[in-house]
Amino acid sequence: MMNKNLTEEYKDFILLHGDNLEQINQINHKVDMIFANPPYFLSKGCSLQINGIWKNFEKGEWDRERDFEAIKAFNYKWLSAYRKVLKDDGTIWVCGTYHNIFSVASCMVELGYKILNIIVWQKSDARPTLSRNYFNFTTEYIVWARKHKHIPHYFNCNLMEMLNGGTRMSDVWKIPFVASWEMQCGAHPTQKPLRLLYRIILSSTREGDTILDPFAGSCTTGIAANLLNRKFIGIEQNKDFLKLGIRRKEEINSPLTADKFLKKMAENPEEIMVMINHARKELKQKMIEKGICYLRAGDSKGSLLVTPGFERMQYVLLHTNGKDCQLFKLKNRGTFQIWTADTLRQYGFSPTHAPYYVVLFFNSKNPIKIIHQPNLKEGSFTYKAKIRPLSDFIGIK
């Protein structure tokens, strides 16, 4: 087995080839987080005929079906070994289905980990289950645990709340399966979506932290880690999968591709949206004083167009000519009122461009910190109201 780093030209993307229990000796410092996608033990060596075509669902010998005791012995061994390279305040995330996840949780408790959450990942685009003897299988489970029961761990609760519209994010995550743009270099049979790793990494690590994946596969963990300014160590026994991981790393060396992937993996079909609205300096200040944002309703014919995503709007961003941006939370998600110009005048405003206006009410006492300063200079479009995802302003480097 090889034990040298296959990507020596990258200091933030280290790959080791071989058995993970042997290669752990190559890791000479402790890591901040571990993400593991171990075998689910689903493969039975069988094929099924679907619409007249035979399909093989065999993933490999590493995924061969085993009894509970063998699965538990496997999980106990690697969870015990990798606990030693995890920092005392570090956390670990382990994926599975009912075939292996109970074993993982049992081993964690025996080894002294403290289980923090069992995340239910609901695939919003899950394929129908072939057999009609069961409910449709649409979920996988992710155990999140910290190394010690009594040593606190890092959790960016504030960021998760903001990404969830200002309320606590639940332990049920509705995230699509792997998309075609994630498989341009090839596909892995158990590949995880970058959107899933995006949320995991942002919630439990800081920029500059080191993330370890002992079952690296095609290195989705590493791609997400590097895009979010984290370091990555991956171990994989299949060299073809590692070559795929290297191609994926080379793919994001292009700034344009990296930016595209970063934006796509931050996308969420249920993501909270932000209303972007330009206002003159004096008007902007008055809006903040009153907690009222308004914009013209409709075109010259008097029609009102509500853009898709408006129902998920929960923040308003006020700016002046693309500068001096301030972000506030709306008092009610996805709702607005239509006021006449006369009604606005009663509140001290001086509207002159239209007879009717869309009015949004926001909490002006608690501005939201903008992590990613937006570029709103778009020529004439700078002054037009628009909605954009919240992730354009928070969560991304």
Side-chain angles (χ1 to χ4, degrees), residues 156 158-159 162-163 207 274-277 284 288 315-320 322-329 366-376 388-397:
N156 197 337
N158 290 336
L159 178 56
M162 291 176 70
L163 292 176
E207 287 196 13
V274 180
M275 170 61 74
I276 315 297
N277 194 37
K284 177 172 171 285
I288 294 173
Y315 292 86
V316 60
L317 185 140
L318 300 176
H319 68 94
T320 300
K323 299 180 179 179
D324 191 23
C325 301
Q326 290 179 275
L327 183 66
F328 303 92
K329 184 180 178 183
N366 298 298
I368 308 297
K369 181 180 178 182
I370 298 174
I371 297 174
H372 181 218
Q373 190 65 34
N375 177 18
L376 297 177
R388 282 171 54 173
L390 180 61
S391 58
D392 282 1
F393 310 102
I394 66 171
I396 298 176
K397 63 181 179 180

Side-chain angles (χ1 to χ4, degrees), residues 157-170 172-173 199 268 270-272 314-315 329 333 390 394:
C157 185
N158 290 336
L159 178 56
M160 293 301 103
E161 284 185 354
M162 291 176 70
L163 292 176
N164 198 47
T167 60
R168 289 289 293 277
M169 185 174 286
S170 79
V172 178
W173 298 355
R199 185 174 296 183
N268 185 337
E270 299 181 339
E271 183 171 2
I272 299 303
Q314 195 152 346
Y315 292 86
K329 184 180 178 183
R333 172 175 171 171
L390 180 61
I394 66 171

Side-chain angles (χ1 to χ4, degrees), residues 90-348:
T91 61
I92 180 171
W93 302 74
V94 185
C95 295
T97 58
Y98 71 85
H99 303 83
N100 74 324
I101 206 67
F102 301 115
S103 165
V104 167
S106 175
C107 291
M108 283 183 167
V109 172
E110 289 182 32
L111 288 166
Y113 292 95
K114 176 180 173 57
I115 294 177
L116 303 168
N117 281 109
I118 306 292
I119 302 297
V120 178
W121 167 33
Q122 182 181 11
K123 302 169 191 175
S124 55
D125 54 354
R127 297 173 181 174
T129 300
L130 296 176
S131 172
R132 296 184 63 82
N133 293 324
Y134 313 97
F135 292 107
N136 200 30
F137 290 107
T138 65
T139 61
E140 292 188 28
Y141 308 99
I142 310 171
V143 182
W144 182 37
R146 70 187 188 200
K147 182 175 180 177
H148 292 290
K149 293 181 180 179
H150 304 296
I151 297 179
H153 63 285
Y154 173 72
F155 175 49
N156 197 337
C157 185
N158 290 336
L159 178 56
M160 293 301 103
E161 284 185 354
M162 291 176 70
L163 292 176
N164 198 47
T167 60
R168 289 289 293 277
M169 185 174 286
S170 79
D171 54 3
V172 178
W173 298 355
K174 194 172 184 179
I175 295 175
F177 195 58
V178 181
S180 58
W181 57 270
E182 303 178 69
M183 298 185 287
Q184 297 300 309
C185 297
H188 184 280
T190 62
Q191 188 167 327
K192 292 294 179 284
L194 282 166
R195 291 184 177 109
L196 182 68
L197 272 299
Y198 171 84
R199 185 174 296 183
I200 286 172
I201 289 171
L202 285 181
S203 69
S204 56
T205 65
R206 303 174 178 87
E207 287 196 13
D209 280 357
T210 299
I211 298 169
L212 170 64
D213 189 337
F215 304 91
S218 61
C219 304
T220 297
T221 307
I223 301 304
N226 281 186
L227 287 172
L228 293 169
N229 283 343
R230 275 75 167 171
K231 301 171 186 175
F232 171 66
I233 302 172
I235 304 174
E236 173 57 48
Q237 62 182 356
N238 186 313
K239 198 168 185 180
D240 289 336
F241 293 157
L242 285 179
K243 289 178 180 178
L244 171 55
I246 293 171
R247 293 197 297 272
R248 296 182 72 191
K249 170 60 178 175
E250 292 171 346
E251 184 181 34
I252 64 168
N253 285 342
S254 162
L256 289 176
T257 302
D259 185 62
K260 171 187 171 184
F261 278 21
L262 191 56
K263 288 181 178 178
K264 280 185 170 293
M265 73 186 212
E267 289 175 354
N268 185 337
E270 299 181 339
E271 183 171 2
I272 299 303
M273 306 298 284
V274 180
M275 170 61 74
I276 315 297
N277 194 37
H278 155 76
R280 300 183 312 276
K281 186 175 181 180
E282 298 79 9
L283 175 57
K284 177 172 171 285
Q285 187 55 44
K286 184 176 285 293
M287 285 182 173
I288 294 173
E289 290 175 2
K290 302 286 186 179
I292 294 174
C293 168
Y294 67 88
L295 50 147
R296 278 178 281 178
D299 55 22
S300 59
K301 297 179 182 180
S303 65
L304 177 67
L305 174 63
V306 178
T307 305
F310 202 99
E311 74 283 357
R312 290 180 276 117
M313 183 182 63
Q314 195 152 346
Y315 292 86
V316 60
L317 185 140
L318 300 176
H319 68 94
T320 300
N321 303 328
K323 299 180 179 179
D324 191 23
C325 301
Q326 290 179 275
L327 183 66
F328 303 92
K329 184 180 178 183
L330 296 179
K331 291 188 174 180
N332 293 291
R333 172 175 171 171
T335 62
F336 61 92
Q337 294 184 17
I338 300 296
W339 284 12
T340 63
D342 286 341
T343 303
L344 279 170
R345 292 188 186 100
Q346 294 175 18
Y347 282 80

